[in-house]
Amino acid sequence: MQPSGESLHLGNYVGALVNWVKTQEQYEAFFFIPDLHGITVPHDPQALRERTRNTAAQFIAGGIDPDRSTLFVQSHVPEHAQLAWVLTCMTGMGEAARMTQFKDKSAKQGAEASSVGLLSYPMLMAADILLYQPHGVPVGDDQKQHVELTRNLAQRFNYRFGETFRVPEPFIPEVGARIYDLQEPTAKMSKSASSPNGLININDSDTKIAKKIKSAVTDDGTEIRFDREQKPGVSNLLSIYSAVTGKSIPELVAEYQGKMYGHLKVDLAEVVVARIGPVRDRTLELLDDPGELDRLLAKGAAKARHTAATTLAEVYDKVGFLPAAPV
């Protein structure tokens, strides 16, 4: 998750982070903050630094265990950029330009305002993945195209230079995949929300969280039921409630039969505050000791480089780069 906003939001938390925490129970997992991806658009350097540290703190506060998993900052492992260049040289211009996210973003901001980094960042994403020879990549359904490019590049490299990369599979969680904006419940909750009231941030106060939920857009009528087409507002509230508590949506619908939207909102505010409050408080504790947080990230980067350097050395050898002689 890019450090592009002041905080991760509820959609990031229940849609991705909660599932990532589960994967570390079963797999050897690598998690990183993609700050190299964060400079494909104009940015403020100091804000990037602060947001990177804040995102790392929220990862840990949300349940990523630096002792169990490998947690690091992308720019601390230079092998990401080094492998990205090799993969960029194996990617066709048309192939890169067909990436949906590039087409969408460049159409919005215009070709002259779009950086080459925006065009080539899927190759950096491929390097992010292939360096660690993973079996699977946990992604949202909007990233499947990038994983397909990664698979294609791995297969292309293996064909040209010999078996080198494991070809990874996309791992798309089925639960909590999408939380919608509280003010625009047909749009995914996003850091670029048109109204800050549509977004529940991890670092929001209890009062602010409750206020945003109680002012959430609902629908015509008074019946509480799940219907994404006819009742997107109420359906979104039910989805959030289910994701935060683990209760099924049918169970919640039965529980609120005959009740008003206000009852649902009051109860939802309470359970969201109970879930998010401790994560926010732990984040603030970690940020109060930046030295310790940086130590944990350095430890993770060293562990990541052990794996990444092995992969990159094999790639450099196979493409024909002259090895540096010891001084």
Side-chain angles (χ1 to χ4, degrees), residues 182-183 196-201 204 207-217:
L182 294 176
Q183 294 299 313
N197 291 328
L199 195 64
I200 295 176
N201 287 313
D204 281 344
T207 301
K208 187 177 286 188
I209 291 172
K211 185 176 180 180
K212 287 179 178 180
I213 291 174
K214 289 173 185 177
S215 65
V217 168

Side-chain angles (χ1 to χ4, degrees), residues 52-321:
T52 298
R53 189 177 273 120
N54 185 62
T55 302
Q58 290 183 336
F59 273 26
I60 296 171
I64 300 298
D65 184 349
D67 292 326
R68 178 177 295 175
S69 300
T70 303
L71 173 65
F72 60 98
V73 175
Q74 185 184 29
S75 62
H76 293 176
V77 182
E79 287 83 359
H80 285 249
Q82 292 171 286
L83 179 57
W85 175 247
V86 175
L87 298 179
T88 298
C89 292
M90 298 182 64
T91 306
M93 279 291 294
E95 192 174 27
R98 284 193 296 272
M99 293 290 105
T100 301
Q101 289 201 9
F102 170 74
K103 289 194 295 185
D104 290 348
K105 290 182 179 179
S106 60
K108 285 180 182 178
Q109 60 195 35
E112 290 301 316
S114 300
S115 71
V116 176
L118 190 61
L119 177 69
S120 62
Y121 93 92
M123 284 69 88
L124 175 57
M125 184 181 289
D128 298 335
I129 295 167
L130 296 177
L131 274 174
Y132 302 99
Q133 304 286 7
H135 292 277
V137 189
V139 291
D141 54 8
D142 58 338
Q143 294 290 344
K144 285 179 67 175
Q145 187 185 36
H146 291 144
V147 177
E148 280 306 310
L149 176 65
T150 300
R151 289 169 52 83
N152 291 341
L153 290 173
Q155 291 165 341
R156 190 174 304 161
F157 189 98
N158 291 347
Y159 177 77
R160 291 184 187 177
F161 300 108
E163 199 68 25
T164 305
F165 295 117
R166 179 180 286 122
V167 181
E169 297 287 343
F171 173 69
I172 302 174
E174 295 181 3
V175 179
R178 185 156 296 187
I179 298 297
Y180 291 83
D181 190 290
L182 294 176
Q183 294 299 313
E184 298 181 49
T186 57
K188 191 169 79 166
M189 188 173 282
S190 168
K191 295 172 187 174
S192 58
S194 58
S195 168
N197 291 328
L199 195 64
I200 295 176
N201 287 313
I202 300 299
N203 63 1
D204 281 344
S205 67
D206 292 353
T207 301
K208 187 177 286 188
I209 291 172
K211 185 176 180 180
K212 287 179 178 180
I213 291 174
K214 289 173 185 177
S215 65
V217 168
T218 47
D219 315 288
D220 293 337
T222 59
E223 184 185 6
I224 295 175
R225 61 185 170 86
F226 189 88
D227 185 332
R228 186 65 72 189
E229 295 298 320
Q230 299 299 319
K231 286 183 167 287
V234 172
S235 297
N236 188 37
L237 298 181
L238 289 168
S239 294
I240 293 171
Y241 206 133
S242 177
V244 168
T245 64
K247 291 184 177 181
S248 71
I249 288 177
E251 184 181 356
L252 290 169
V253 170
E255 188 176 327
Y256 286 92
Q257 188 174 7
K259 294 183 179 180
M260 307 294 287
Y261 293 156
H263 297 123
L264 175 62
K265 287 182 175 183
V266 168
D267 292 348
L268 177 59
E270 186 176 316
V271 297
V272 171
V273 164
R275 183 68 180 269
I276 296 301
V279 178
R280 177 199 60 230
D281 295 345
R282 175 60 178 146
T283 297
L284 294 176
E285 286 178 11
L286 289 162
L287 292 174
D288 280 343
D289 189 355
E292 174 61 12
L293 182 58
D294 289 352
R295 186 192 69 79
L296 291 173
L297 292 173
K299 177 182 173 183
K303 187 177 174 184
R305 291 201 73 183
H306 180 76
T307 300
T310 300
T311 300
L312 187 73
E314 184 177 0
V315 168
Y316 271 27
D317 178 61
K318 287 185 174 177
V319 299
F321 290 153

Side-chain angles (χ1 to χ4, degrees), residues 31-51:
F31 303 103
F32 67 93
I33 292 85
D35 56 340
L36 296 178
H37 289 286
I39 65 169
T40 58
V41 294
H43 71 286
D44 175 76
Q46 183 58 31
L48 176 63
R49 223 170 267 122
E50 292 172 0
R51 290 170 178 178

